[in-house]
Amino acid sequence: MLSPSSALVVDLRNVTKTYGTVVAVESLSFGVRTGECVSLLGPSGCGKTSTLRLIAGFEDWDAGTIQISGVSMQGKRPYERNVGLVFQDYVLFPHMTVEDNVAYGLRRRGVAKAERSRRIAAMLDLVKLGAYGTRYPRQLSGGEQQRVAIARALVTEPEVLLLDEPLSNLDAKLRVEVRTEIKEILRRVGITTIIVTHDQEEAMSMADRIVVLNKGKLMQEGAPGQIYNQPANRFTADFIGRMNWIAGTVVERDRLDLGHQHAMSVKQLGAGVGQRVEVGIRPERLQLSAGPPGGGAANVLPVVVSGVEDLGSDVHYRVIAAGEIPLVVAEKNSGRPLLALGDTAHVAFEPEHCIVLPNDRDQTTTRERSPA
Amino acid sequence: MKRIIDNIWLCLFGFVVVATTLFLLAPLLMVLVMSFDGRSFVGRFPPPSLSLQWYAKFFSDDYFLDGLWTSITLGLSTAAAATVLGTGAALFLDRTRFRGRHFLIALFLSPLIVPHIVLGFGLLVLLRHAGLDNVFLSLLIGHVVVTIPYAIRIVLTSLQGLKANLVEAAMALGATEYRAIWDVVLPLSRTGVVAASVVALAVSMDEVTMSVFLIDPFTYTLSTALFATMRDSFNLVIAAASVLLMGITCMAVLLLDRLVGLDRIAGQGDR
């Protein structure tokens, strides 16, 4: 399963970083393969930005090893590494033109003038800013400034590109557009990339693989779909997307008693009879119907609608199932009349969509690597 | 009722602004006018006739000219030294975090609150004890001590207005820390550095209290010369000299503005 470390551009092994008594990164290990785009995803304070700063060389770590292309980065200053970095707020040099900003890294690396001009022109074309070379950063929009920052980081042909919260400074509408643009640029350059973000949508749409972090620890690692559909622990399940939790007592190998004469089937409970377990199910896996559902769904629970959120393309219902279980149901807006507050209805769902997690909640740390 | 009180407050603030402006400008204007007084004695304001006689007297008096020359060379040397040292200190204080940093900042700024008379006396004792008998050098040391707090304060403020990770951005692109400061931080804090040198020049030209401790009959500044003249014979050469001093400072500001383009770069690299 594990690829040999030579194929890894970035390789972190058991890296620990503390600030005073605060542990920012705890025994973190992960790798990024050539050309791969990996997202470090987690809430603020989870250690993702600290990790980025360790890779960029702005800080020293306390234990473990960090290698870039098989070379230890121990004690290597930022200018002794070949890492491209795009800051959250871009940090363009305001007193330099777009061209001079992009030229800076080439100048510091002693690239000759003719070669420099050629590479700057090619890079500005790539980010579609060919005509903006003589402008100053303050004359550009936020999205344009970001493309300059990406061009500035890419022009030196770094071994790995680090993006720190690339979309957080843009407004919601622009975000999706810029996301597609960045993805296209990265694809064309074919560069190995690490994207730090707290936004799961950003991570899922841009990354080939997601590394979920919480409190400095690796929670789960895997492809976006895998993380979403098979979360390894409660934290990942709750952080990536929304999750309904249904508590019950195991009565049979695959059957859960929910109390009040309600029960449901679950595939592979993995817990002994009599134990209390919680089962997760995604809001869009629940089907809501006014009358009793046809088609013989395996699990049906009666619900009362306690809230309706009409988002335009989707409708989110808050319902109380089986008298006491709060659930969120996400439905596509199909055009039929919405259910109203206080309506009674039914939810139906399949046993194979239920997610059963090991008992020891947040503490679990698993490593899953997709086959290389 | 609320509106009346509000209006009264506004009027009060307006009055304060007008009064302050008057008290700031009135003496300057009076000195300016009086320096062109055509009478041969100090009479009532305004002068009945105008002439350049006081300027002629000033420029024919070697006592004043020597002082002016010393003041100019001393002022420029002080401005240069205080700006270089102050910028260095400000960069160090801005880029490092260590125990006692705040104490060091307070120490660097202390000449602002210590009376110049104390500094002058202290320096006189210290420099004589150290065997330094070069008056110009003593004056230079004294003036740098007095002006460096201004330089540090001004440059530090302009550095704190810069994005903290500009240096990191340059380092990630292959620049050493020293190179990053030279390429990015200094150009962006240019306004502060220039302002520091102008303030240092102005303060040095103006300084009397400390300088009187350090001068001797052969090396003295224009302000100490004016001060000495004023005590035994009050005439309007002082007014003419004051206008010249003001003129020199204004010229320095205008010249630097032209050279560096203060407005053009103001506001760049802000957070």
Side-chain angles (χ1 to χ4, degrees), chain B:
Chain B
M1 193 58 199
K2 261 185 172 173
R3 296 180 56 151
I4 295 171
I5 294 174
D6 199 30
N7 288 341
I8 290 173
W9 275 115
L10 271 178
C11 285
L12 270 174
F13 283 131
F15 176 75
V16 169
V17 171
V18 171
T20 312
T21 315
L22 271 178
F23 277 105
L24 272 176
L25 288 182
L28 295 185
L29 284 174
M30 279 186 83
V31 166
L32 189 63
V33 175
M34 295 288 274
S35 72
F36 294 103
D37 197 331
R39 294 168 291 187
S40 59
F41 54 93
V42 182
R44 291 173 73 90
F45 188 84
S49 61
L50 300 177
S51 84
L52 288 171
Q53 57 166 327
W54 301 113
Y55 289 90
K57 274 213 175 83
F58 178 86
F59 281 110
S60 60
D61 191 335
D62 279 345
Y63 179 58
F64 290 128
L65 288 182
D66 284 350
L68 179 63
W69 179 244
T70 308
S71 275
I72 291 175
T73 48
L74 179 65
L76 292 176
S77 320
T78 301
T83 306
V84 170
L85 296 174
T87 303
L91 280 169
F92 178 76
L93 290 170
D94 185 57
R95 299 235 16 106
T96 52
R97 292 286 176 273
F98 55 92
R99 283 167 68 99
R101 178 173 165 272
H102 287 283
F103 172 75
L104 208 58
I105 292 178
L107 187 75
F108 282 159
L109 299 185
S110 64
L112 284 180
I113 43 169
V114 176
H116 285 195
I117 203 159
V118 175
L119 282 174
F121 180 68
L123 263 176
L124 181 68
V125 173
L126 176 74
L127 295 177
R128 289 296 170 274
H129 186 75
L132 183 77
D133 47 11
N134 184 322
V135 174
F136 187 83
L137 207 55
S138 309
L139 280 168
L140 181 59
I141 292 172
H143 281 211
V144 169
V145 168
V146 172
T147 52
I148 212 168
Y150 294 100
I152 292 177
R153 188 77 258 178
I154 293 169
V155 177
L156 201 54
T157 306
S158 74
L159 289 177
Q160 282 160 351
L162 296 179
K163 276 183 182 171
N165 41 16
L166 277 164
V167 169
E168 289 180 351
M171 284 171 78
L173 289 164
T176 58
E177 184 159 354
Y178 155 78
R179 187 76 212 204
I181 288 171
W182 189 254
D183 286 345
V184 179
V185 176
L186 279 180
L188 288 174
S189 55
R190 204 157 44 155
T191 320
V193 174
V194 170
S197 68
V198 170
V199 169
L201 177 68
V203 170
S204 163
M205 297 288 263
D206 187 51
E207 217 293 324
V208 177
T209 324
M210 164 197 264
S211 304
V212 292
F213 283 93
L214 303 172
I215 55 173
D216 69 1
F218 311 105
T219 309
Y220 50 86
T221 66
L222 180 57
S223 10
T224 53
L226 292 175
F227 201 69
T229 314
M230 207 166 67
R231 273 185 312 189
D232 38 70
S233 66
F234 191 79
N235 65 43
L236 289 173
V237 171
I238 293 171
S242 309
V243 171
L244 281 172
L245 266 179
M246 271 195 282
I248 291 171
T249 313
C250 286
M251 291 247 296
V253 174
L254 286 175
L255 199 73
L256 281 169
D257 182 37
R258 254 296 163 71
L259 283 176
V260 193
L262 292 183
D263 318 324
R264 204 178 62 75
I265 55 157
Q268 286 191 18
D270 293 346
R271 278 179 205 281

Side-chain angles (χ1 to χ4, degrees), chain A residues 27 59 94 231 242 271 334:
Chain A
S27 197
E59 273 156 67
R242 282 172 97 165
S334 58

